[in-house]
Every structure is written in structure tokens, then in C-alpha cells.
């Protein structure tokens, strides 16, 4: 099973993926948690370049190809071997992030992005994509408060430095994708409490994928 997670900065994906991974584990699934960019040794170096606020002069095309390069390595080293071994892969961001951040928000042509996806991921599609929907004003506030608390380092803030309108285009882009591919997307309201969001995700995953996750913090427990 291949499940991806998307959303604006500060939407709470990482926390929920951690809980969900524990829940999949308790239910007997061999689960791998991974993320883009930066889940391989090469990817970590690419991530550092991509998110460094000092790289504000990066061209849109350079950014696009670096995300593609990270993804190619990630598929080769982590995602495909895990799926081939029958594992459940929970992936924090995937191709939809490129479609939305580099496409809808930066304005790179859809055709070019689709061509790169077809070269890099070929016909691999997530079984389900969980979209954490949140007002960017709230998301950015959360992201900056995580920075102040030291939960995130300042050397990974190139996207947080973007204007609010950029993040609004990202949100709109994600919602448009979710409308276009209703069967693949599960949209959750990320403004709720951690508990509410978790329950919404677990019941959505159970319904959509026809499985029955039970465990701590789920209604089925
Ligand atoms: P995160 O790991 O904290 O979610 O940060 C990754 C950042 O990279 C986030 O701002 C979204 C951005 N991003 C893209 O712009 N395009 C992509 O394809 C991916 C995977 C992430």
C-alpha cells in the first residue's frame, strides 16, 4: 500500500504520520515512513540546498529538477524496494507537491511537470493521498511557532519566507487536484484538534482502502 500525505506548511502532517505509522504497526502492517525531499543520503544533501533560505536566488527550473532528482533517488532507494517487499509506505509529500508548489504556485507549465513525472515515477500512483487542508494564515503561524520552539531549524525555511499569497495558491492548487481526483484524495480538516484529525484520517483510510485499523486513539478501539 502506498499512501501519500500533502498540505501546506504547518498543517500537522508529520505528527499525524507518526501516529498513523504506530497504528499501522499495532495492526500488524510492516510500515515504512518516508518523506520528500530528503529521505536518502543523497536526498538529504538535495534537501539542504532546496530549503536553505540563503538560496533565495534559485531559479524555478533548478528547483523543479532538484525535486525530481530527489524523487528519482527516493523511488530507487526506498519507495520501490519497500513496495516490492510488500510493505506499507507512508510518504510525507510526493508528486502532488511538485504539481502544486512548482506548478500552481510558481507557474511552471503543467505539461513540463507531467513529462518529468512520467520519466521519474512512470505509472506509480498512490493508493490514497491524504490532503491536510488548512488556512495558510494558521499554517504559517504554526510553522513559525515551531521554529521559535526549536522544533524546526531556521536553515530549512526557504518556503516559509514566501508571501502569504504563495501559500494561498498552494492551498487552492491542492484543493483543485483533490476535486479532479476524488477517488484518490481524502481531504481532512487540519484545523481540528490532533485527536479529531487522527480519527478523521483513520476512518477515511479504513473506508477508502477497505481495511480495519484499530488501536489507541481510533474510534474502533
Ligand atoms: P517539509 O519536508 O517540511 O514538508 O518541507 C518540504 C518543502 O518542500 C515544503 O515547503 C514543500 C516543498 N516541496 C516542493 O515545493 N515541491 C515538492 O515536490 C516537494 C516534495 C516539496
Amino acid at each position: 500500500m502506498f499512501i501519500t500525505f500533502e498540505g501546506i506548511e504547518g498543517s500537522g502532517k508529520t505528527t499525524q504520520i507518526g501516529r498513523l505509522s504506530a497504528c499501522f504497526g499495532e495492526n500488524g502492517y510492516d510500515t515504512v515512513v518516508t518523506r520528500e525531499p530528503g529521505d536518502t543520503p543523497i536526498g538529504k544533501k538535495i534537501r539542504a540546498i532546496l530549503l536553505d533560505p540563503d538560496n533565495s536566488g534559485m531559479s524555478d527550473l533548478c528547483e523543479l529538477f532538484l525535486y525530481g532528482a530527489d524523487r528519482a533517488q527516493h523511488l530507487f532507494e526506498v519507495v520501490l524496494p519497500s513496495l516490492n517487499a510488500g510493505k506499507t509506505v507512508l510518504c510525507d509529500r510526493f508528486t502532488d507537491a511538485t504539481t502544486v508548489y512548482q506548478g500552481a504556485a510558481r507557474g511552471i507549465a503543467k505539461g513540463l511537470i507531467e513529462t518529468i513525472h512520467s520519466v521519474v515515477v512512470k505509472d506509480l500512483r498512490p493508493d490514497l493521498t491524504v490532503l491536510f487542508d488548512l488556512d495558510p494564515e494558521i499554517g504559517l503561524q504554526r510553522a513559525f511557532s515551531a521554529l521559535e520552539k526549536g522544533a524546526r531549524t531556521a536553515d530549512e525555511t526557504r518556503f516559509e519566507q514566501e508571501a502569504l499569497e504563495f501559500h494561498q495558491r498552494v492551498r487552492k492548487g491542492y484543493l483543485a487536484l483533490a476535486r479532479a481526483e476524488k477517488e484518490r484524495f481524502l481531504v481532512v480538516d487540519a484545523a481540528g484538534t490532533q485527536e479529531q484529525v487522527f480519527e478523521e484520517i483513520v476512518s477515511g483510510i479504513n473506508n477508502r482502502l477497505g481495511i480495519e485499523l484499530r488501536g489507541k486513539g481510533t474510534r474502533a478501539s
Side-chain angles (χ1 to χ4, degrees):
M1 237 178 325
F2 183 34
I3 306 177
T4 60
F5 299 83
E6 301 281 355
I8 60 157
E9 347 297 303
S11 59
K13 286 179 287 105
T14 313
T15 311
Q16 295 291 345
I17 293 169
R19 288 189 66 168
L20 202 57
S21 149
C23 179
F24 268 104
E26 282 162 22
N27 284 270
Y29 290 86
D30 194 352
T31 308
V32 172
V33 173
T34 187
R35 71 167 175 180
E36 290 188 358
D39 207 77
T40 63
I42 293 170
K44 281 185 179 51
K45 295 181 181 172
I46 299 176
R47 179 181 174 96
I49 298 171
L50 277 165
L51 303 187
D52 183 348
D54 287 347
N55 289 337
S56 58
M58 187 182 296
S59 77
D60 293 352
L61 278 180
C62 175
E63 183 179 286
L64 174 71
F65 286 114
L66 286 176
Y67 279 111
D70 170 75
R71 183 162 301 127
Q73 188 63 26
H74 185 222
L75 282 162
F76 171 73
E77 210 175 314
V78 180
V79 178
L80 293 176
S82 302
L83 291 175
N84 290 337
K87 296 182 182 170
T88 293
V89 176
L90 306 181
C91 185
D92 191 343
R93 298 193 187 278
F94 192 56
T95 45
D96 298 315
T98 304
T99 305
V100 167
Y101 280 81
Q102 282 64 55
R106 294 265 192 244
I108 294 180
K110 207 171 159 214
L112 173 58
I113 292 178
E114 282 170 359
T115 302
I116 294 176
H117 286 343
S118 69
V119 173
V120 175
V121 305
K122 302 185 179 68
D123 53 4
L124 178 68
R125 296 281 172 279
D127 297 297
L128 187 72
T129 297
V130 181
L131 172 58
F132 290 69
D133 181 48
L134 186 65
D135 180 338
E137 288 202 42
I138 302 174
L140 287 177
Q141 260 171 27
R142 286 188 187 171
F144 281 112
S145 108
L147 263 175
E148 276 161 26
K149 289 183 197 140
R152 214 188 143 108
T153 58
D155 53 8
E156 288 202 340
T157 52
R158 195 166 65 89
F159 282 87
E160 281 83 347
Q161 310 292 342
E162 292 288 343
L164 182 61
E165 295 75 59
F166 177 88
H167 297 279
Q168 276 158 346
R169 288 199 293 279
V170 170
R171 182 192 198 189
K172 254 178 95 177
Y174 272 132
L175 289 173
L177 278 185
R179 273 194 303 276
E181 283 189 71
K182 286 199 179 65
E183 61 307 324
R184 177 163 69 88
F185 274 88
L186 170 69
V187 183
V188 300
D189 177 5
T193 63
Q194 270 194 25
E195 221 46 58
Q196 285 164 341
V197 176
F198 184 63
E199 286 195 3
E200 204 179 327
I201 297 170
V202 172
S203 71
I205 287 180
N206 283 342
N207 290 337
R208 293 297 190 83
L209 298 178
I211 60 176
E212 214 176 318
L213 293 177
R214 291 166 184 276
K216 288 185 213 112
T218 70
R219 262 191 205 126
S221 61

